[in-house]
Every structure is written in C-alpha cells, then in structure tokens.
Amino acid sequence: MKKTETDIQIRFADIDILGHVNNVCLQHYFDLGKSMFYRDILGIEMMPGGGREFPITAATETSYFAQTRFDEPIYVETRMPAIGNKSMTVAQRIISRTTCEVKAESRSVMVAFDFVEQTSIPVPESWRSRLFS
C-alpha cells in the first residue's frame, strides 16, 4: 500500500500554555499530510486552480496518545486503506522521528467532489490507477 511521510515544522505559535502542541494544530498537520498524499500519490493539483475534482472531508476521527513538544521532530504518515465508489478512507499517524512513538492517529472519510457542479462524484479512475499502480 502506498503511503507518504510528511515532515512537520512545529512553530512557536503551535504551542499552548501547557507547553505542548495544541490538538488543533495536530489537525492542521493531518491536513498537510493529506495534501501531500493527494499531490504525490493521486496526482491531484493543489488549489488554487487545481481543477474541478477534489476530495473533501465527510467525517474524521482522531485519537491522541502522547504529548508533542516544540523541539520534537515529527512526521505525518498518510495512507489510503480503503476506496469505495464515491468515498475513500484516509488513515494517518503523527510519529516522532526520534522515538518512533505514535503521538496521534486520525481516520477520515473523504468524498470525491466536483466543485463546478457542487456534487459528489464517483472516485475518478485516474486516482484509482495511481493508487494501485
């Protein structure tokens, strides 16, 4: 199964009063990982002007396992374990490069969407073929 690893630069503004990366920022990291997966694996042009077909989030679930600190090198691992007619499941983990500890994981259901027609569409064959080639 194809996957991407996206290194994350933790910024000072990502740290909360408790001294760890705020959970909201972890969601931004997951979004960055998805964007890189779409570009590098599925060949989807990124916005703006990226095209009319793009995956959008229908549902997401996140579990947090350990705190992430400012000086800790981390990356987002992204893969797509399931693909249906109009939807895809994206599984992600935030992992410490130093300890290999999984800090958080997320599972999202993405829907293929036509932004011109403003409706869901079948997952394009071009995405499928790149995922399984």
Side-chain angles (χ1 to χ4, degrees), residues 5-9 32 74-76 97:
E5 290 184 1
T6 305
D7 286 313
I8 300 297
Q9 178 188 20
L32 181 60
I74 58 170
Y75 67 96
V76 177
R97 282 245 181 249

Side-chain angles (χ1 to χ4, degrees), residues 81-133:
I83 188 164
N85 181 39
K86 290 187 174 185
S87 66
M88 304 153 286
T89 301
V90 176
Q92 297 180 282
R93 301 186 304 166
I94 294 177
I95 302 170
S96 168
R97 282 245 181 249
T98 306
T99 66
C100 298
E101 178 181 27
V102 176
K103 302 293 187 167
E105 64 183 21
S106 179
R107 194 170 218 60
S108 300
V109 175
M110 308 302 294
V111 174
F113 196 78
D114 182 322
F115 278 89
V116 173
E117 297 296 323
Q118 290 292 298
T119 187
S120 63
I121 57 172
V123 173
E125 191 55 42
S126 61
W127 299 0
R128 289 178 190 276
S129 63
R130 289 182 62 107
L131 186 62
F132 297 111
S133 64

Side-chain angles (χ1 to χ4, degrees), residues 10-21:
I10 299 173
R11 307 218 173 184
F12 180 75
D14 296 349
I15 307 303
D16 64 19
I17 196 167
L18 301 174
H20 64 256
V21 176

